Amino acid sequence: VSADEPGADWFHEEYKGVSRLGLKLRRHLHSERSDFQNIDVYETEFFGRVLTLDGLIMFTERDEFVYHEMLVHVPLLSQPAPREVLIIGGGDCGCAREVLKHPSVERVVQCDIDERVTRVCEEYFEWTARVARDPRCELLFADGIEYVGEHENRFDLVIVDSTDPIGPAVGLFHRDFYAKVRRALRPGGVVSAQSESPHWDPPLVGRIRAELSSVFPKTSAYLGHIPTYPSGTWSWSYASVDRAHDDEFDEERAAKLEATTAYYNRELQTASFALPNFVREALEGKNRFARFGPQ
Ligand code: SAM
């Protein structure tokens, strides 16, 4: 949306040409094309500032906490003392911000392919520069698929905080990548990944599960509510060779963390894994919505 277009005071995210979400704009703060994608920042009337990549909402200041807290705290609180964490993608540092809340973490490596995402977010979002400067945080700008392949037996948690499976992120949803992740994990290690919309793309949710479970014997999914993501219901995946999401749970650690979170709490550590039937079906590769037209 450029300021001079009709309806320029609205930003619309279009979902596969069949649905739109509109955000009332105050200002279009930034627009550029990096080597990988279009990067825009908007000031909105109701959602604070918004980052979009190639016209798709990555997060809004109003509801980013849901996504970052659930992608990070569910896996970390399933591990007794996670020390090293790798984030693939995550250029805005929202995930890294949440990881740094865990005292046992000594190092968080963030590997985003596009340095411009981080540099733009440092200008417009209060947490990015602060987190990037944290001595425990190491920012790398490289393809996460290659980076993971260069490390073995190193990380307690790998977080895949990627864009949708298009462009450079396509490979981040494939079993070859998950096999590299498995080798990069320490014993007891976990991978958590954003795994798309069960309401609006059940086939994709099913494909991601098939890829993940072909590498990790223990794979499960959990849900959360993000008003500005397609359909408002989002899924994440939790996978491990030898750990389940409710294996170890330190109530005291959770209680301390809950004082800092706006979404995550200890009940959600298990309750978010309770899945409606249509989500269970999607994970098994079934699509009860096929009659409504192509995805
Ligand atoms: N954390 C935000 C959220 O709330 O969803 C947005 C996700 S983050 C901005 C997505 C990142 O994935 C982008 O910055 C993009 O550059 C990065 N990315 C895409 N493909 C990648 C790859 N192959 N390796 C590393 N990063 C990649």
Side-chain angles (χ1 to χ4, degrees):
V1 171
S2 64
D4 53 5
E5 274 172 12
D9 53 352
W10 284 84
F11 162 81
H12 288 102
E13 178 188 80
E14 193 162 291
Y15 183 78
K16 298 194 176 179
V18 295
S19 168
R20 280 187 172 181
L21 172 75
L23 309 182
K24 189 77 165 32
L25 289 183
R26 277 214 189 117
R27 286 174 58 209
H28 190 173
L29 296 171
H30 185 91
S31 191
E32 75 174 66
R33 172 135 196 89
S34 76
D35 295 340
F36 299 93
Q37 51 215 332
N38 289 316
I39 305 173
D40 288 90
V41 180
Y42 298 93
E43 185 79 59
T44 69
E45 289 292 345
F46 186 68
F47 294 92
R49 289 183 172 175
V50 178
L51 172 74
T52 72
L53 296 180
D54 287 340
L56 297 177
I57 294 170
M58 290 291 114
F59 62 85
T60 82
E61 284 183 309
R62 187 182 183 101
D63 60 8
E64 54 84 13
F65 65 90
V66 182
Y67 176 88
H68 292 122
E69 290 179 16
M70 289 302 279
L71 185 54
V72 170
H73 300 313
V74 168
L76 283 180
L77 277 167
S78 77
Q79 299 178 298
R83 297 204 321 273
E84 289 227 24
V85 176
L86 169 63
I87 299 168
I88 304 292
D92 55 281
C93 295
C95 279
R97 180 194 68 209
E98 296 303 315
V99 170
L100 291 173
K101 289 180 179 175
H102 293 256
S104 66
V105 171
E106 295 160 6
R107 187 151 205 69
V108 52
V109 177
Q110 178 179 290
C111 178
D112 196 303
I113 202 165
D114 190 348
E115 177 165 5
R116 289 302 303 151
V117 172
T118 301
R119 299 306 169 221
V120 168
C121 289
E122 282 176 333
E123 261 184 81
Y124 294 101
F125 299 100
E126 66 77 23
W127 69 81
T128 308
R130 165 165 56 82
V131 170
R133 276 196 306 272
D134 189 297
R136 292 183 289 165
C137 189
E138 178 184 351
L139 296 193
L140 300 173
F141 299 105
D143 186 332
I145 300 168
E146 283 162 35
Y147 180 82
V148 155
E150 295 156 6
H151 297 269
E152 281 208 24
N153 194 31
R154 174 166 172 199
F155 297 103
D156 298 302
L157 171 63
V158 174
I159 296 170
V160 187
D161 175 17
S162 71
T163 37
D164 298 327
I166 35 185
V170 167
L172 297 176
F173 294 81
H174 197 273
R175 62 190 66 196
D176 296 350
F177 168 69
Y178 293 138
K180 290 178 180 173
V181 169
R182 176 169 168 162
R183 273 194 301 279
L185 287 171
R186 285 198 183 107
V190 175
V191 55
S192 69
Q194 73 91 356
S195 45
E196 302 291 332
S197 165
H199 263 306
W200 287 1
D201 205 340
L204 177 56
V205 166
R207 287 196 298 276
I208 295 170
R209 165 54 63 87
E211 295 297 303
L212 204 47
S213 52
S214 73
V215 173
F216 291 99
K218 293 188 165 205
T219 302
S220 49
Y222 54 110
L223 300 181
H225 314 287
I226 311 178
T228 57
Y229 272 18
S231 85
T233 298
W234 209 250
S235 81
W236 296 275
S237 293
Y238 175 107
S240 175
V241 172
D242 46 13
R243 183 183 295 284
H245 65 274
D246 50 1
D247 265 1
E248 311 250 345
F249 193 66
D250 181 334
E251 292 283 339
E252 201 186 313
R253 257 178 77 198
K256 280 204 194 97
L257 182 73
E258 280 177 3
T260 74
T261 52
Y263 192 90
Y264 178 85
N265 60 46
R266 72 192 84 172
E267 287 77 21
L268 288 171
Q269 184 73 22
T270 46
S272 60
F273 286 81
L275 302 177
N277 290 357
F278 81 95
V279 179
R280 292 179 183 170
E281 289 166 2
L283 291 166
E284 290 159 11
K286 295 185 203 118
N287 177 12
R288 70 163 52 221
F289 307 114
R291 72 181 190 281
F292 293 109
Q295 295 307 332

